[in-house]
Amino acid sequence: MKVILLRYGEIFLKGNNRQFFESTLIKNIKHSLKEYQFDIKKIGGRYEISNYPEENEVDIVDKLTKIFGIHSLSIATKLESEEQLIIDAVKQLDLNNKTFKVETKRASKIFPIHSMEFNSLLGDVVLKNFQGAKVDIHNPQVTIKVDIRENGFTYISTNDIPCADGMPLGTAGKGLLLLSGGIDSPVAGYFMGRRGLEIEAIHFHSYPYTSELARQKVLSLVEKMKDYLVNINLHIISVTEIQETLNKNCDKDYMITLLRRMMMRISQKIAEREGAGALITGESLGQVASQTLQSINATNAVVNIPVFRPLIGFDKQDIMNVSRKIGTYEISILPYEDCCTVFLPKNPVTKPKIDRVLKEESKLDIEKLINNSLATEEILKL
Ligand code: ATP
Ligand code: MG
């Protein structure tokens, strides 16, 4: 019988509330594979998925690799621990012209042959049955794992498939992701989801200065992010009036700082209402004028919930690599304008001074601007 074995990552470190992490993981697995029939049970510190439709194995494995909390998986043949059955199963593998090694683990000492002996016996089987197969102990293309368990069953698998790691989604509470259409913020959401935070997203636009296509792009991003983050409620909010007001009344060089402070205030309000305990941004130190230490201080100063910036120490290239891996890159590089680029000043300040910021803001009715902006909110449950 074919089974899929799942090894989990960091959950094994958990003490008393491990049960909570494990049951959340199981719930997430069942949700992700809801279109398929299968059984799942825990056997000896890992999960075993059985009776699944083998014709859908590729899709099932693909979905499993995107569930946070799973470290790796392997597809295994499960059979009774009998020498001849194991040999026959090894003959079914695909090992022509491959370098390989055999790794037998014998938890059940009832099985009469010692691990080392069995390694070489099975090695001979491979060499006799597969053309061009060659032993390579140190760097084999295929590691044949023969796991002889105490329950009377043996599992034969080849290379492990790495999965998403992290903590099960939803075990760390909820965070509100400030999602632009750029490369960084989807990656930031991915990393915080990987630490178990359920992700809700907020996107600011300045329609009609920004287009319908820019909005569509954000919807596509969210759709893609759902591969990992499952359900994402998206709050879409207009900052058009804010930007027009800033443009009319304030020092142009301070536009971005002022706008970002407004975004943070609005985000905190939404986060509080939705029960999100943190904001998340895609900021990376020094990447642009609004992400210098002084700028981050200036925007951070208006909120009093934690702001997670998982990319703060990342280089752009590293962020792009993750973005490609999670599939958001191709969408992020579509050329539609973001609201931050509307009314873009020629010389945005890189070191905003807080007294200047306050002086500019004293020209505004901040509360009214925020409330008007909040009144434009659209909520999409994606
Ligand atoms: P990104 O690639 O995520 O767009 P960026 O390099 O363009 O980031 P900024 O424009 O300075 O950087 O934005 C920094 C962060 O502020 C973004 O990562 C995102 O979290 C948030 N942000 C920027 N614009 C918006 C927006 N229109 N709606 C929601 N959040 C935004
Ligand atoms: Mg951007």
Side-chain angles (χ1 to χ4, degrees):
M1 177 172 64
K2 255 182 143 184
V3 297
I4 300 173
L5 301 174
L6 308 177
R7 288 164 215 86
Y8 43 70
E10 241 181 275
I11 309 179
F12 75 87
L13 298 171
K14 294 286 157 194
N16 288 337
N17 48 9
R18 178 173 172 148
Q19 184 51 40
F20 165 65
F21 287 87
E22 290 199 25
S23 60
T24 306
L25 180 58
I26 292 284
K27 195 179 85 202
N28 293 350
I29 292 170
K30 287 184 174 162
H31 181 80
S32 168
L33 301 181
K34 60 182 179 300
E35 65 201 277
Y36 302 119
Q37 295 266 331
F38 63 95
D39 297 320
I40 181 163
K41 54 184 182 233
K42 193 174 168 191
I43 298 180
R46 46 188 201 180
Y47 292 111
E48 179 178 318
I49 291 181
S50 57
N51 299 317
Y52 61 92
E54 279 186 38
E55 66 275 18
N56 300 110
E57 188 173 272
V58 171
D59 185 53
I60 290 172
V61 166
D62 180 60
K63 290 198 157 79
L64 289 168
T65 61
K66 299 189 165 86
I67 297 175
F68 295 130
I70 303 175
H71 171 68
S72 67
L73 66 81
S74 45
I75 300 165
T77 304
K78 179 180 181 180
L79 34 75
E80 280 169 44
S81 299
E82 281 175 31
E83 183 181 339
Q84 193 54 46
L85 290 178
I86 296 171
I87 289 171
D88 290 343
V90 167
K91 286 183 188 167
Q92 299 297 314
L93 298 171
D94 173 18
L95 296 165
N96 283 330
N97 301 311
K98 300 261 171 69
T99 60
F100 75 97
K101 75 170 169 185
V102 184
E103 256 179 33
T104 302
K105 220 164 77 191
R106 194 178 57 132
S108 165
K109 308 298 173 203
I110 298 169
F111 191 77
I113 309 173
H114 287 267
S115 300
M116 294 298 272
E117 237 176 281
F118 206 45
N119 283 346
S120 59
L121 188 156
L122 291 177
D124 286 340
V125 170
V126 174
L127 293 171
K128 281 208 192 81
N129 286 275
F130 295 95
Q131 258 179 15
K134 242 169 61 189
V135 177
D136 182 344
I137 299 296
H138 300 292
N139 199 12
Q141 288 167 307
V142 183
T143 299
I144 305 165
K145 288 192 181 167
V146 179
D147 193 1
I148 303 167
R149 295 233 144 194
E150 264 158 351
N151 60 4
F153 289 101
T154 292
Y155 296 82
I156 300 170
S157 62
T158 51
N159 300 354
D160 292 353
I161 298 169
C163 298
D165 268 322
M167 304 298 288
L169 197 69
T171 52
K174 198 198 289 186
L176 181 65
L177 171 68
L178 281 76
L179 181 66
S180 67
I183 293 171
D184 306 327
S185 39
V187 175
Y190 163 80
F191 276 120
M192 294 322 300
R194 200 165 82 146
R195 294 311 300 165
L197 271 186
E198 186 192 323
I199 301 296
E200 191 138 342
I202 181 166
H203 174 69
F204 298 102
H205 66 87
S206 5
Y207 190 79
Y209 302 104
T210 56
S211 67
E212 184 59 34
L213 285 172
R215 172 197 167 97
Q216 202 49 52
K217 176 182 175 181
V218 172
L219 297 189
S220 311
L221 275 175
V222 167
E223 207 45 57
K224 192 72 213 165
M225 290 162 71
K226 279 169 58 187
D227 284 357
Y228 290 91
L229 300 172
V230 188
N231 292 318
I232 302 177
N233 290 346
L234 174 63
H235 304 257
I236 302 184
I237 293 191
S238 167
V239 287
T240 307
E241 186 193 356
I242 293 176
Q243 287 199 281
E244 286 173 342
T245 309
L246 294 177
N247 195 46
K248 209 159 74 198
N249 299 293
C250 301
D251 180 344
K252 304 272 175 298
D253 294 349
Y254 273 74
M255 285 280 289
I256 291 193
T257 310
L258 297 170
L259 175 62
R260 296 194 55 75
R261 280 165 65 95
M262 295 301 272
M263 287 181 172
M264 296 299 270
R265 291 181 176 109
I266 295 167
S267 299
Q268 172 159 340
K269 285 221 180 324
I270 305 273
E272 282 166 354
R273 192 189 70 206
E274 301 298 331
L279 302 181
I280 302 161
T281 76
E283 289 161 303
S284 160
L285 190 64
Q287 197 189 77
V288 288
S290 61
Q291 297 176 23
T292 62
L293 186 54
Q294 292 85 347
S295 291
I296 288 176
N297 263 305
T299 50
N300 202 70
V302 295
V303 291
N304 53 18
I305 56 172
V307 181
F308 293 154
R309 300 177 177 86
L311 309 183
I312 199 69
F314 276 53
D315 287 351
K316 192 75 185 185
Q317 196 58 51
D318 300 331
I319 299 170
M320 281 159 58
N321 289 343
V322 179
S323 157
R324 285 197 189 88
K325 188 187 100 175
I326 65 175
T328 52
Y329 181 77
E330 295 301 328
I331 306 169
S332 291
I333 59 173
L334 295 171
Y336 314 120
E337 69 295 347
D338 180 52
C339 68
C340 290
T341 58
V342 182
F343 306 116
L344 194 71
K346 272 203 210 67
N347 302 304
V349 281
T350 53
K351 295 180 182 172
K353 301 208 171 40
I354 204 71
D355 51 336
R356 281 292 305 283
V357 171
L358 295 176
K359 187 174 147 229
E360 295 301 319
E361 283 186 346
S362 71
K363 305 173 189 169
L364 310 169
D365 184 344
I366 291 183
E367 185 142 334
K368 182 174 148 231
L369 286 172
I370 289 177
N371 286 336
N372 288 352
S373 187
L374 282 169
T376 68
E377 181 185 14
E378 251 182 283
I379 306 177
L380 305 182
K381 297 194 188 291
L382 299 167

